[in-house]
Amino acid sequence: MTPVELSRTVLHAVRRAVDEGELSVAVPERALVAPPGPGGCGDYATNVALQLARPAGQPAHRVAEILRPHLLRTGGIADVVVTGPGFLNISLRSAAPVALVEEILRRGPRYGHGDFLGGRLVRLHAPHEVRALVHLDVLARVLRSQGADVRTGCAAPPEPGWVTVLGLRVDVPGSAGPPDGVVLRPVPAPADPLPLGRDAARWALLHPAPHDRPRISGDHLVQREGNPLFRVRYAHARTRTLLRNAADLGFAPEPGPVTPADRGGAPPADAGAVTGAGVQPLLRVLADHPRVLAAVAAHRAPDRLARHLVAVADAVLPLLPAVLPLGGEKPSAAHRARLALADAAGTVLAGGLSLLGIDAPDHL
């Protein structure tokens, strides 16, 4: 369930409570859902009970308790906990594997995008420093992916190389930070990242947490397993290669159970990591993608997206050798389902890299 879908679910719960006479309020047009704050729990939290308390003439905590059973009766919600003055903390059920893959392939690189920020104006400002401006650029992208109306500014116009090499754009360069805006001040880059080129430089500045000192070195360019950027881009390229190879063999991705055992048969010897619980880590990180984007937007932390993409890559790479049929084996429904799962992982990687401003090559 995406944040947008969960927002609608919360509104439906309010409407049911009104229809059953438990609340006497006008159903709001929007219910804000976001990652839980300090003291919260679960996947998402909403303050709708606090929003409705005054018009309902009841304490917010009581309004939350009224809404809780309505939410629990909704498919896709595993638990609802009321915390603080009346925050509803919602834990989601894991998406069914086939439905999850279908949703990712249907939405493409926009999987995880939503409108939970609903046109809210967010003003971001950064000092005249390359890492701060890269963070500004990426956070603007992610916030817009969640429905925000974003305006960016910086203390001075970006250096020409930052624009041409890193692709940085600022709405209002050379401006003072607005009093109602968010000023981004990550630990500055210790060296000039431009010699690394756009992709490696952006990754070097984004992958560490904002409070950590980034490492500017040629290690980000090395094509080896120890380089997280290489693993992410390599995993994406492998999924695209598998799609091309499958097309040459005459079959296409089709979401479904990934092994014959899931269909009631015996698992084949070549299924490898795809059998049993091997696929679960990948399904978990794919299902988590919308929550990660919402958390990046809420906490202004682009490193969370970078680390999430590494987790997706590390989860999908062991599964890829079992996607195509071996030898004279004919493509089966399980092969088509594995290909769809690989395609979904590649789609998430491409969408995430795009938000980071990093290229996702089909060949590597």
Side-chain angles (χ1 to χ4, degrees):
M1 186 181 297
T2 67
V4 175
E5 293 167 338
L6 183 56
S7 176
R8 296 192 189 110
T9 297
V10 171
L11 292 179
H12 291 160
V14 174
R15 187 170 294 110
R16 286 195 296 270
V18 170
D19 291 343
E20 295 179 15
E22 297 173 292
L23 291 175
S24 179
V25 294
V27 178
E29 294 183 359
R30 187 178 303 278
L32 176 65
V33 296
C41 58
D43 298 303
Y44 294 99
T46 178
N47 65 349
V48 69
L50 284 77
Q51 178 184 347
L52 297 176
R54 177 172 293 181
Q58 300 190 54
H61 199 279
R62 173 58 185 156
V63 174
E65 291 292 352
I66 290 172
L67 296 176
R68 182 175 179 272
H70 292 287
L71 288 168
L72 285 171
R73 288 197 290 268
T74 302
I77 292 180
D79 194 17
V80 180
V81 177
V82 180
T83 60
F87 291 103
L88 287 157
N89 297 262
I90 302 169
S91 298
L92 302 179
R93 296 187 187 278
S94 299
V98 175
L100 173 63
V101 173
E102 288 175 339
E103 180 186 1
I104 295 172
L105 297 184
R106 175 176 57 82
R107 301 200 62 189
R110 292 182 60 82
Y111 168 66
H113 292 208
D115 64 355
F116 86 90
L117 291 176
R120 180 188 303 178
L121 177 62
V122 179
R123 300 182 187 275
L124 299 177
H125 194 269
H128 185 255
E129 193 276 322
V130 64
R131 190 185 187 202
L133 286 171
V134 169
H135 278 226
L136 180 88
D137 177 79
V138 172
L139 287 172
R141 293 168 186 250
V142 175
L143 285 162
R144 287 171 181 140
S145 81
Q146 302 303 304
D149 182 12
V150 184
R151 297 291 183 270
T152 60
C154 61
E159 298 296 323
W162 301 354
V163 175
T164 57
V165 177
L166 300 179
L168 298 181
R169 298 289 185 273
V170 180
D171 296 329
V172 188
S175 63
D180 60 342
V182 177
V183 179
L184 305 175
R185 297 186 183 277
V187 172
D192 182 9
L194 297 187
L196 297 179
R198 173 173 174 145
D199 295 335
R202 277 180 169 262
W203 183 269
L205 299 173
L206 292 165
H207 185 248
H211 58 267
D212 289 336
R213 187 172 185 264
R215 180 172 51 85
I216 309 299
S217 75
D219 290 346
H220 298 290
L221 298 170
V222 177
Q223 295 192 6
R224 63 186 179 197
E225 187 177 350
N227 178 3
L229 174 59
F230 170 72
R231 293 207 306 278
V232 170
R233 285 156 54 98
Y234 175 69
H236 172 266
R238 281 286 310 278
T239 65
R240 304 306 97 178
T241 298
L242 288 171
L243 287 170
R244 293 192 296 271
N245 292 344
D248 291 340
L249 293 174
F251 74 100
E254 182 180 325
V258 296
T259 70
D262 295 328
R263 302 171 185 268
D270 70 298
V274 178
T275 60
V279 76
Q280 293 306 314
L282 176 58
L283 293 172
R284 281 195 295 270
V285 291
L286 294 180
D288 206 32
H289 188 64
R291 188 196 64 79
V292 170
L293 294 185
V296 172
H299 300 291
R300 316 293 192 250
D303 59 294
R304 296 189 182 199
L305 176 55
R307 293 198 304 271
H308 173 66
L309 296 182
V310 175
V312 173
D314 289 345
V316 73
L317 281 170
L319 310 181
L320 298 183
V323 169
L324 298 180
L326 300 178
E329 185 183 10
K330 293 183 178 180
S332 66
H335 289 114
R336 292 191 290 272
R338 296 176 208 168
L339 183 63
L341 181 58
D343 189 8
T347 298
V348 168
L349 292 172
L353 286 170
S354 176
L355 288 173
L356 296 179
I358 295 174
D359 183 44
D362 288 349
H363 303 269
L364 194 63

